Every structure is written in structure tokens, then in C-alpha cells.
Amino acid sequence: MADTTATATPDMATSDDGIRRRDFLDIAAVSAAGIGGLAVVYPLVTQMAPSKDVLAASSTEVDVSAIEPGQAIKAVFRKQPLFVKRLTAEEIAAAERDDNAALRDPQTLADRTKEGHGDILVTMGVCTHLGCVPLGAAEGEVKGEYGGYFCPCHGSHYDTAGRIRKGPAPTNLEVPEYEFTSDTVIQVG
Amino acid sequence: MSFPWARQYEPKNPVSKFFDEKLPLPRLVYNAVGAGYPVPRNLSYFWNFGVLAGFFLVVQIVTGVVLAMHYAGNAQVAFASTEHIMRDVNWGWLMRYAHANGASFFFIVVYLHIFRGLFYSSYKAPREMIWLLGVVIFLLMMATAFMGYVLPWGQMSFWGAKVITGLFGAIPIVGEPIQVWLLGGFAPDNAALNRFFSLHFLLPFVIAGVVILHIWALHIPGSSNPTGVEVKQESDTVPFHPYYTAKDGFGLGIALLAYFALVFFLPNALGHPDNYIEANPLSTPAHIVPEWYFWPFYAILRAFTVDFFFVPAKLMGVIAMFASILLWFFLPWLDKSPVRSGHYRPTFRKFFWFGLIPAMVVLFICGGAPAEEPYVMMSQIATAYYFLHFLVILPIISSSEKTEPLPYSITEAVLGSDKKPVLGENTTPAV
């Protein structure tokens, strides 16, 4: 580098292995432009992610005292339907009988309910396939081949514990985080 | 393609001379769709659908811009603003029905355009790029039509949005975040409707851009034709104008008769009545179906009901649905037969009319039917055939079939004889 004949034309200033200092400049310039480009793209992409008001989704309280055995109510949790169902003795028996059956997403009824409230089944009313609301919560709706829920969009059948038994859905109806704040009131979320 | 015998543009008056020297737009038009563009003389009515597709793109853009002057992309008022267009806006009912049925007609002509290409192997060299750009246009069309259907915010709109964005949720690991990002929330709501409005406005202009590339690519080798034999000499072609401008105009007249018969007398025949019920996030209609033009692909999505090894049924269906279209990108390399036209390929013809077409019809019927037997099994068989056709049958017959003799030239195919070219006459080397 100190060679004066080489500095006459800077491009010829090479180190022993043929790399020029200018090559580093090229890489540095393109890298800086690349980082700048990413800094432009990032806000343009992430503006589409949920905004602050959407993220400020609150929790929901549901009074379960008025639900009769065999009945279900639909509540709203984060703008999605929530099924709260009081199981009958037969439904509990059917669910427990299948606890050891070949399930796609193995879970027992006890896993899916709170201790001491084994008859209260709280699930999202959102089919785990592509998100439709399964039928079976309201009176007179089709309950499917396993007596629980039936999704009309692509024919997924759920059993009395809301477990996937047949059709394209991959997992059981999601049980959201919730707790009993009193004997008759649950707080979801 | 400017064949050597293509007529040259000659500016006649001072104004056209002025422009030809500075910005030769009239020359471009003359060479693209005017007398300066020679086209095979034997094109059948199946070659009308490209122009018709372009026409319906224009219908959609014009009526779409008009509707956007009165529509409000907000979940609180979207449904009501659509009814406001129907009842209060001058000619609003006409604009809305023209736009809604325009989408159906766009897909009708594009499906005929695609299946013309499949039968006559219009995707083969040297026209691969035209085909690939066409598949891109088709994908953009489907995305655009989907987002447009969401805008009235009826029941089908809402649940369609939920299901279609749910397709992305099936992708392992990154799927859920992508779905939330697409919706801007955890379920379709105002954020989703708002952005779909913006993108539904944007995409047609992207389509128009790709259409320009599609036409540009077409004009390099020139149009294919029903014999599949390339143009050899001047007697094989006629100038686009006035011959094909007139024929396309006639075809357009027929298409418009059918289109306005539907718009005026059966405007809701192709729609779904549930979309006249306002979106209800707590209740899915008992029988939801997408718009008719998505039925075949919807049937493929639903055909997968059991897990394959470690791939869940849900992901399997999504992969199959996207693959059923993406495999068209590979079609020019799956069908290696040197003969293009199905007219001269007896085995190919049988599999096309008695294999692919019935499979598509079955998929179409099953996609619109409830997810029950026998439709599930029928769609499974048809889906299996669909993939078998393109991935196995087509490559095999294209290398083993005994094709029928081709005519020497387009002229011979039309007139029954062709005097062999004389040296020095207007000819290009035979391809």
C-alpha cells in the first residue's frame, strides 16, 4: 500500500490476496443501503399487525348459574364466540368413556374442566380447522356424530368434551384461560 | 411478432408525423392491435376470450371506482352503505350488480381462456412466459375477487374472510402470526375490512400491469392457432385489424348479451342469499360456500380429511389447494410432446375430455355441495385424478403417444392445399 506507484491509480491498491480496500467500501455501501431498505420495509409491514386498541382486549365475566344441564350459552371473548356448557350426566359419562379412545388430540374430560366443576365445559366456539363457529350450542342445532359440536364449514365433529373426533380439524376446541371467581361466575382471560 | 410481411405504420398528416417523431404511440397501437400485427387466419371462437377477459377487467375497474365513491370500508356501516348504493345512489343498483356479475363473467371467460390453452397446449415453447404470466394473473384475480366479496360485510363475506385467512393459519409455526397479521386482529373485524378495501382497490391495477406483460410476451412469438403449426408465410396470416377487431367485436356483442341478461333479469342467480344477512361473528351459516368460481379449489381443500403421517389434514388440504394451481407453473415442462394442438393428439384428447374435464366438473359440483357423503368421496377421487392427470398421465402420454399427421401449414389446414414456398417469397424458416 505504501508503494507510491500503486497509489497513482487507487483501484490497483491491492493487498497480497487480491482484495482491494474499495471492495470493503462496496460491501459497506450496499450493506448500509440494505439496512436502510429494511428500516423502510419494517414499518410498512408491521403497520398491519393488530393495533393498540385491538390488543387491549379485556377479559370477560360469565355467570354460569342460570345454565341448566344440557344447555350451553354463547358469550363473547375477544370478539370471538365462547361456549359455556353445563354437561348432563350422560354427556359426562360419554366423555369419560372416550377418555382412553384413539383421539387425534388426546385429552381427558378432567383436563378440560376445572376441579370441582366437572360439569362446566368452557371452550372457544371456534373450529380449529378454519375458524367457523361449530353448531351444537344452541337448542335444536346439529350436534354431530359424537353428540358435541358439528362444524358446518368442512364437517368437523367434536364430542361432548369438545374434542375433535372426525373431519379436517387438527385439535380440540381450545379451552381458554379462565377461573371461577365465585361458585357461579367465571372470569375468562 | 412482426413478421417480415407486416405492414409498416406510415404517418399521413402533419399531426401524426409530429407524434411519430417524438412519441410514437400511434405506431405502437398500429403494431400491437392494428393492421401492423399479422395473426393466423384460422383462429376459432376459442381465441376470443383473451379480449373478453381484458374487457371485463375494464368493466370491473370502471364500476369498481364508481362503487368506491359511495361505499364506506368500515364494519359499522359497510353493509348499510352497500344498501345505500342499491337504493339511493343514481343507478347504484346497476353499478353494484354489474360489478358483482362482472366478477362472475371475468371468471367464466378466464376459465374458457385457460382451458383453451390446456387443450391446444398454448403453454408450450415458445409461449411459456405468456402462460406463466397468465397463472400469475389468475392468482391475483382470485385474491382480488376474494377481498371484493368481503366488502359488503354480509355473512358470507365475514365467514369467507375467516376461512380464507385461516388457510394461512395452517402453516406450521409461522401460520398463526401470519393470520393475525393479515387480519390485524384475532378475528375479522374493522381492521381486516379496512385493509381489504385498500388492497381490493390496488390489485386490479397490478393485474392490469401484468396483463400488459402478458400481451407483450404474446406479441413476441404471435398467437398460437388451432393446428398448433407455426406461421410460415404471409398466406398463413391476416392483419389483426380489421379482421380480428371485427371478430372480437362480434364475440364481445354475444358476451354482452349474456352478461346483461344476467345483470338485468337474474342479478342474484350466481350470488349467495346469505350475503344479504349482515355479518354475525357469533354464528356461522349452516351451509357456507364460497363464490362459484372457487368451488373446484374449495373441493380440493376439503378432500383431505385424514392426517398423512406427520402432516395434519388441515395443512394437507391447504397445500393441495395451492399446489393444484401452482403446478400449472410447471406445465410447459410436464408436457413434452412436440405436437401442440389436441386435434392431432388422440390419446391426449381422450384424457382431456374424459378425464380432466369430468374431474373438474365433479370438483365444481362437490365444492358447492355440503361436506357430506357422497360429495367428500367424489371430491377425493376427482382430486386424485386431477393431480394424476398433470403429474403422471400427461408426462407419460406426451412421450409415448402416436400423434396424427400435422398439416404442412396453416394455409393448407384452411384451404386444403398449399403451394410450396418459392425462394425469395415472403417466408420465415419453418419452426
Side-chain angles (χ1 to χ4, degrees):
Chain A
M1 291 298 189
D3 191 343
T4 46
T5 57
T7 52
T9 47
D11 268 2
M12 290 169 66
T14 55
S15 65
D16 293 342
D17 47 4
I19 299 167
R20 300 170 304 164
R21 284 168 61 140
R22 188 158 290 271
D23 291 338
F24 173 77
L25 275 181
D26 288 349
I27 293 167
V30 171
S31 304
I35 291 164
L38 286 177
V40 172
V41 169
Y42 184 79
L44 286 175
V45 170
T46 50
Q47 52 82 19
M48 274 174 69
S51 54
K52 296 287 182 290
D53 59 323
V54 172
L55 286 174
S58 60
S59 57
T60 302
E61 278 201 344
V62 184
D63 183 354
V64 300
S65 61
I67 309 171
E68 299 288 333
Q71 263 190 352
I73 60 166
K74 284 184 193 176
V76 182
F77 174 57
R78 292 183 183 160
K79 298 209 170 177
Q80 297 188 80
L82 179 80
F83 292 167
V84 185
K85 184 173 171 185
R86 193 184 288 276
L87 301 171
T88 62
E90 297 88 72
E91 285 172 333
I92 294 172
E96 284 174 344
R97 192 171 57 241
D98 287 352
D99 275 352
N100 300 312
L103 298 171
R104 185 176 297 169
D105 182 12
Q107 264 186 323
T108 63
L109 178 65
D111 292 339
R112 295 173 60 75
T113 52
K114 296 285 179 205
E115 216 177 322
H117 299 278
D119 59 338
I120 299 285
L121 180 68
V122 181
T123 60
M124 296 305 296
V126 180
C127 179
T128 55
H129 181 221
L130 294 173
C132 295
V133 180
L135 302 173
E139 206 168 335
E141 284 181 351
V142 194
K143 289 179 185 294
E145 285 176 24
Y146 294 86
Y149 301 104
F150 170 72
C151 181
C153 287
H154 304 92
S156 291
H157 297 259
Y158 297 89
D159 67 11
T160 51
R163 293 175 298 207
I164 180 64
R165 301 301 292 269
K166 191 181 168 191
T171 55
N172 302 334
L173 291 182
E174 186 196 344
V175 177
E177 270 182 42
Y178 72 96
E179 57 185 15
F180 280 85
T181 50
S182 76
D183 266 1
T184 57
V185 177
I186 59 168
Q187 186 180 348
V188 189
Chain B
M1 164 106 171
S2 94
F3 295 113
W5 55 87
R7 283 192 222 164
Q8 291 306 307
Y9 176 72
E10 281 159 24
K12 292 208 172 56
N13 55 56
V15 177
S16 52
K17 279 202 183 77
F18 174 89
F19 275 101
D20 198 48
E21 284 163 6
K22 278 95 185 171
L23 183 68
L25 263 181
R27 178 180 291 272
L28 180 77
V29 172
Y30 185 90
N31 290 337
V33 292
Y37 182 55
V39 184
R41 64 193 286 172
N42 61 337
L43 300 188
S44 70
Y45 277 107
F46 276 107
W47 267 258
N48 275 50
F49 295 102
V51 165
L52 291 179
F55 175 79
F56 279 106
L57 176 62
V58 173
V59 168
Q60 291 306 83
I61 289 178
V62 171
T63 55
V65 168
V66 166
L67 289 171
M69 293 180 186
H70 306 280
Y71 167 83
N74 181 301
Q76 301 289 321
V77 292
F79 190 81
S81 77
T82 311
E83 284 309 303
H84 155 76
I85 290 170
M86 295 296 286
R87 292 154 196 257
D88 303 332
V89 175
N90 295 329
W91 299 103
W93 60 271
L94 176 62
M95 295 301 157
R96 173 157 186 250
Y97 281 150
H99 196 70
N101 287 289
S104 282
F105 263 75
F106 201 174
F107 275 95
I108 291 171
V109 297
V110 162
Y111 277 128
L112 289 166
H113 192 61
I114 291 170
F115 278 85
R116 188 284 315 270
L118 288 175
F119 183 77
Y120 292 102
S121 315
S122 301
Y123 47 77
K124 275 186 195 158
R127 298 187 180 77
E128 299 98 319
M129 193 51 84
I130 312 169
W131 175 259
L132 302 182
L133 289 165
V135 180
V136 171
I137 294 172
F138 184 60
L139 291 168
L140 287 168
M141 268 178 73
M142 295 209 293
T144 310
F146 156 64
M147 287 191 274
Y149 195 51
V150 172
L151 302 184
W153 212 236
Q155 273 288 65
M156 288 295 157
S157 303
F158 181 93
W159 292 101
K162 178 104 193 190
V163 168
I164 302 295
T165 55
L167 297 179
F168 294 90
I171 303 167
I173 305 164
V174 293
E176 290 279 340
I178 288 178
Q179 187 186 356
V180 170
W181 175 76
L182 285 171
L183 288 173
F186 304 98
D189 200 2
N190 198 41
L193 177 63
N194 227 186
R195 67 189 52 182
F196 283 5
F197 185 30
S198 175
L199 294 174
H200 183 68
F201 210 116
L202 168 72
L203 285 186
F205 297 99
V206 179
I207 292 178
V210 185
V211 165
I212 289 170
L213 298 181
H214 190 63
I215 297 170
W216 187 3
L218 169 71
H219 283 224
I220 304 299
S223 287
S224 174
N225 72 87
T227 66
V229 176
E230 290 293 336
V231 167
K232 292 188 171 81
Q233 59 206 341
E234 185 169 6
S235 65
D236 289 345
T237 64
V238 290
F240 191 87
H241 179 77
Y243 295 95
Y244 284 111
T245 43
K247 187 173 181 175
D248 283 331
F250 178 72
L252 180 62
I254 303 282
L256 284 176
L257 282 176
Y259 172 56
F260 281 109
L262 207 70
V263 169
F264 288 139
F265 302 109
L266 294 159
N268 292 305
L270 298 175
H272 199 290
D274 276 14
N275 222 28
Y276 281 108
I277 303 169
E278 195 166 2
N280 178 357
L282 297 188
S283 165
T284 310
H287 177 200
I288 84 156
V289 283
E291 289 278 79
W292 70 264
Y293 37 76
F294 292 137
W295 286 355
F297 306 103
Y298 193 59
I300 292 176
L301 169 77
R302 290 196 300 189
F304 292 83
T305 50
V306 286
D307 296 358
F308 282 81
F309 306 105
F310 56 91
V311 186
K314 174 179 171 181
L315 178 60
M316 218 38 223
V318 173
I319 292 172
M321 190 189 67
F322 282 110
S324 68
I325 296 167
L326 293 180
L327 78 80
W328 290 355
F329 279 118
F330 302 95
L331 207 48
W333 297 277
L334 289 169
D335 179 4
K336 287 201 177 295
S337 171
V339 174
R340 288 197 190 89
S341 171
H343 281 315
Y344 305 99
R345 305 178 63 190
T347 320
F348 168 85
R349 205 161 57 217
K350 285 195 192 83
F351 279 102
F352 183 86
W353 288 115
F354 302 110
L356 183 62
I357 296 294
M360 288 304 291
V361 171
V362 169
L363 286 174
F364 178 76
I365 293 168
C366 292
E372 297 163 358
E373 296 298 352
Y375 303 112
V376 175
M377 196 201 30
M378 281 162 65
S379 57
Q380 284 166 342
I381 295 168
T383 301
Y385 181 80
Y386 180 91
F387 284 100
L388 211 62
H389 182 90
F390 287 110
L391 296 174
V392 179
I393 295 172
L394 207 52
I396 290 176
I397 58 176
S398 68
S399 59
S400 67
E401 119 183 279
K402 191 174 177 340
T403 55
E404 289 162 2
L406 294 168
Y408 165 73
S409 68
I410 294 170
T411 305
E412 187 188 287
V414 175
L415 300 177
S417 72
D418 182 11
K419 74 181 169 62
K420 299 287 178 279
V422 181
L423 203 68
E425 208 175 288
N426 285 334
T427 54
T428 51
V431 179

